[in-house]
Amino acid sequence: MLLVGDSSPLPPAAEQDAESSEFQEAMQRDAATRLDADLEQLLSQLSPQERASRAKELGGFSRLFARFLKEKGPSVEWDKIQKLPEGAVRQYDSLNKPSEARIKDMLNKLVVVKLNGGLGTSMGCRGPKSIISVRNDLTFLDLTVQQIEHLNKKYGVNVPLVLMNSFNTDEDTQKIVRKYENLNVEFHTFNQSCYPRIQKDTFHPICKTPDVKADLDAWYPPGHGDFYESFKNSGLLTKFIAQGRQYCFLSNIDNLGATVDTRILDLVLAPGQDAPEFVMEVTDKTKADVKGGTLIQYENKLRLLEIAQVPKEHVDDFTSVKTFKFFNTNNLWIKLDVIENVLAQGTLNMEIILNPKHLDSGHDVLQLETAVGAAMKCFSRGIGINVPRSRFLPVKKTSDLLLVMSNLYAMQGGSLGMSPLRMFPTTPLIKLGDKHFNKVKDFLSRFATIPDMLELDHLTVSGDVTFGKGVSLKGTVIIIANHGDRIDIPSGAILENKIVSGNLRILNH
């Protein structure tokens, strides 16, 4: 800053830049040092036994925070995005169908991992999302276990099932898994890391104690990108490699389409040096999927591009179905020994997702998170596989739940598949009003039985609407009860290409 009357010349621009850079580096060092002191103070409150495991976790947070301080500007320069090279995305139909004998051999080299860290709060449920009933009173977890047991029995193998829990879901999950003890499934669980939320303006952790249960709001699970380090820290990665396991198949537990696929397994276990180390299942993007991450070629590497990384002026390009044709299902096949190598070399640098939150306590905090698919760029041989839409069947809302509970899907061995009675392979578009259908309990109370939807294309329901038994919906059906009105669709009704509005009450007598 110049003083009044000071006529000395300004330093050259390069010198100013250097001074500014030095100042920023000093500020970063200071912030990192202060955070490490805060973390050390938390660790000092623990017993020696607890301290060792928590030190690994908080060390991971310290490294993530240091990267957050250093990384400035966009993680992707839009003009540097390259066209996907030939063979970067394989078509599922081009994959080989292996023999029964080969399938048995391959399954003994596989581990199935399900991401089980989420709660069911967005659907009005308490506890882990995986214990919501989705089909014939079976939960996400029940169906997953049934799939693995069916596989193990059919081929006489032992495919282990691993759940990555969070501190939010672990206790309830441990109680639930006891009921599977007598089944033909080898169970393992581990917890993803537990990181401290930091004050937005000071970068200090808001927690005063390392006791997570005493102050749940002060801690958070840092996204599924934490899988790699937590899997290693749990000892399971080393254990499975020692057993001769070669790949893990990882997916979200609420994706009912994410079953073990022997064609993809045959590809990743192909003999020779060119077998992929990291496979991301992608599927064709529709207008309903415009926010999903996509595959790009960048700096001669295949990598995941999320909407959070896209500059505002290019969001329309990103959401275009023509420009980016695929989106990430988060079904991943990853080579175990390469995970170990990447971690040992310290080259696992996934993009940091900054998640600001305002807590009920009044704190404005930052969460630093990562996405599991973003690790693709850290592996030498990554490819995408364009899989059928049937492998992406997530249940995020009650409209998704209506689909999977209906006769659109048939169940076999814990797996859901489109009913052969449906004449076309696409699923109907369903929109249910938030006020009356958003929570699972409310949603279920509005259906005496789930309607026949085999011939349905589109369903919109808004307002106070209930459905009787044996209702059939065909074509495009729109049902709108205005404020203060109620519509009861009578039992046995067949609605085909209908708009229903106004007030219709069916009274018991």
Side-chain angles (χ1 to χ4, degrees), residues 89-361:
V89 177
R90 292 275 303 269
Q91 292 300 315
Y92 179 81
D93 290 345
S94 72
L95 302 182
N96 179 49
K97 193 172 180 180
S99 66
E100 293 269 322
R102 173 146 170 80
I103 289 172
K104 180 172 181 173
D105 178 59
M106 292 190 303
L107 288 172
N108 284 320
K109 297 172 182 174
L110 182 69
V111 177
V112 172
V113 181
K114 294 289 180 178
L115 302 174
N116 185 46
L119 293 168
T121 47
S122 64
M123 295 170 72
C125 297
R126 296 180 66 186
K129 187 175 182 182
S130 57
I131 61 173
I132 295 174
S133 292
V134 288
R135 183 85 184 197
N136 302 344
D137 293 326
L138 297 173
T139 66
F140 290 106
L141 191 51
D142 291 336
L143 291 173
T144 299
V145 172
Q146 206 173 346
Q147 289 165 18
I148 302 301
E149 186 191 36
H150 175 74
L151 206 61
N152 287 341
K153 280 184 174 177
K154 181 177 180 180
Y155 294 102
V157 293
N158 175 28
V159 176
L161 174 60
V162 181
L163 301 179
M164 183 172 87
N165 301 332
S166 68
F167 64 85
N168 289 318
T169 63
D170 185 57
E171 192 173 326
D172 286 334
T173 300
Q174 296 301 343
K175 292 173 186 173
I176 296 292
V177 298
R178 291 174 194 155
K179 71 178 182 178
Y180 307 124
E181 283 177 358
N182 295 322
L183 298 180
N184 184 23
V185 178
E186 179 189 324
F187 249 105
H188 299 273
T189 66
F190 70 98
N191 274 17
Q192 68 180 113
S193 298
C194 180
Y195 283 176
R197 285 173 164 153
I198 54 176
Q199 192 78 29
K200 188 177 179 182
D201 51 356
T202 65
F203 289 164
H204 281 291
I206 63 169
C207 50
K208 304 301 179 192
T209 167
D211 185 350
V212 176
K213 286 185 180 178
D215 192 5
L216 274 175
D217 260 5
W219 301 86
Y220 73 99
H224 40 56
D226 182 61
F227 159 72
Y228 304 98
E229 291 218 23
S230 294
F231 194 39
K232 171 70 174 173
N233 291 343
S234 72
L236 288 172
L237 176 62
T238 305
K239 176 180 178 174
F240 289 133
I241 291 172
Q243 288 178 356
R245 306 278 174 184
Q246 294 183 24
Y247 273 83
C248 68
F249 170 50
L250 178 146
S251 61
N252 299 339
I253 199 157
D254 66 0
N255 179 6
L256 296 175
T259 57
V260 173
D261 189 285
T262 55
R263 288 189 179 197
I264 299 175
L265 188 57
D266 180 70
L267 174 71
V268 298
L269 287 172
Q273 299 300 310
D274 295 329
E277 299 173 346
F278 193 110
V279 171
M280 178 181 291
E281 292 185 39
V282 297
T283 195
D284 291 344
K285 189 157 73 170
T286 69
K287 289 181 180 177
D289 316 303
V290 292
K291 291 185 179 178
T294 191
L295 276 182
I296 60 169
Q297 182 81 352
Y298 191 82
E299 295 177 340
N300 298 317
K301 279 260 186 174
L302 204 57
R303 66 190 277 183
L304 177 65
L305 177 68
E306 300 276 14
I307 194 166
Q309 300 166 252
V310 178
K312 287 181 182 177
E313 63 272 23
H314 290 290
V315 167
D316 287 345
D317 296 327
F318 177 81
T319 56
S320 163
V321 177
K322 291 181 180 177
T323 310
F324 297 103
K325 298 176 181 178
F326 314 113
F327 75 96
N328 171 29
T329 65
N330 219 38
N331 299 347
L332 306 172
W333 303 74
I334 315 169
K335 200 162 192 290
L336 296 178
D337 61 356
V338 183
I339 294 176
E340 190 173 54
N341 293 341
V342 167
L343 287 170
Q345 292 161 12
T347 54
L348 191 71
N349 293 320
M350 294 166 284
E351 286 78 16
I352 296 170
I353 301 164
L354 192 61
N355 190 357
K357 286 190 178 290
H358 180 77
L359 305 181
D360 291 341
S361 60

